[in-house]
Amino acid sequence: MRVLLLHAHPLPESFNGAIHAAALDGLRAGGHEVDDCDLYAEGFDPVLGAEERRGYHEIPANRAPVEAYVRRVERAEALVLTFPTWCFGPPAILKGFYDRVLLPGVSFRLEDGVAKPNLTNIRRIAGIVTYGRPRWVAMLVGDPPRASVTRYLRMLTGWRAKAEYHALYDMNRATAAQREAFLRRVRDRMARFG
């Protein structure tokens, strides 16, 4: 399967960097063709500026500023996202990817003003996410990162894609053994992804 691996953490030496590496190793071990997109390393600009917003609905010209990323999304059969939860959401760079790349004509199409799903090429989605707080706190605020992976992205596929979500909650207090177990789980699950 062609997998677009979207990674959103600025520090390669971080635990999220280790998660990214484990996911990449697992996907490759599973025989998947992986397009490894490290948003920070690639210098992705998450800012949707005024001119870009003015042309947001102008299909196909709206793709021009992010054409290379659009092609990567359109080529993928699966999306795997690795990111930390900051302020109960994804890092701004990942949110900016959603804003700038998941455009009209790409992830959805407008029919009589109603958004219709357009990411029908995506069959599988996985989120691999860390949280600094316990799960009950994330649930108290609605766990927006989980919803973005398991609901929002699936909605863009017309609910056709299967989604899975792997979270390490309360990671600031996780022991080395718990972190290693999570990395093993990520590697193993990604090796069997599909």
Side-chain angles (χ1 to χ4, degrees):
M1 187 166 30
R2 288 187 306 275
V3 179
L4 177 57
L5 173 57
L6 288 174
H7 175 62
H9 195 286
L11 303 176
E13 72 275 11
S14 67
F15 184 65
N16 268 268
I19 290 171
H20 173 231
L24 184 59
D25 289 347
L27 288 166
R28 287 181 174 157
H32 299 289
E33 178 186 332
V34 183
D35 178 359
D36 185 18
C37 181
D38 182 332
L39 294 170
Y40 282 97
E42 292 187 16
F44 179 78
D45 180 0
V47 178
L48 177 65
E51 286 308 308
E52 204 171 322
R53 181 62 184 120
R54 282 187 187 99
Y56 184 77
H57 295 286
E58 302 303 321
I59 300 167
N62 62 349
R63 301 164 59 116
V66 289
E67 181 66 39
Y69 289 99
V70 167
R71 279 186 269 131
R72 292 166 85 172
V73 169
E74 290 179 336
R75 187 172 181 278
E77 297 170 302
L79 295 174
V80 174
L81 301 92
T82 60
F83 62 93
T85 298
W86 291 341
C87 300
F88 292 105
I93 201 165
L94 182 56
K95 178 61 170 73
F97 184 91
Y98 292 168
D99 294 345
R100 293 190 66 215
V101 179
L102 302 183
L103 297 160
V106 177
S107 65
F108 66 97
R109 62 191 185 283
L110 291 173
E111 295 178 7
D112 298 321
V114 177
K116 302 287 185 173
N118 208 45
L119 279 184
T120 56
N121 53 303
I122 303 297
R123 299 187 331 236
R124 298 283 300 167
I125 301 167
I128 306 168
V129 185
T130 58
Y131 295 73
R133 304 269 183 107
R135 185 170 186 193
W136 72 268
V137 177
M139 298 301 279
L140 187 66
V141 297
D143 204 349
R146 180 182 293 268
S148 75
V149 171
T150 63
R151 295 183 191 157
Y152 171 65
L153 292 175
R154 281 191 67 225
M155 181 180 65
L156 296 175
T157 73
W159 302 101
R160 294 180 181 129
K162 292 183 180 177
E164 56 188 75
Y165 196 77
H166 308 281
L168 179 60
Y169 291 93
D170 208 8
M171 74 163 275
N172 296 332
R173 293 189 291 178
T175 65
Q178 289 169 320
R179 289 182 186 205
E180 278 304 313
F182 187 73
L183 291 175
R184 282 192 306 274
R185 179 175 143 206
V186 166
R187 238 181 249 106
D188 178 59
R189 186 60 207 116
M190 291 300 100
R192 295 181 289 111
F193 187 63

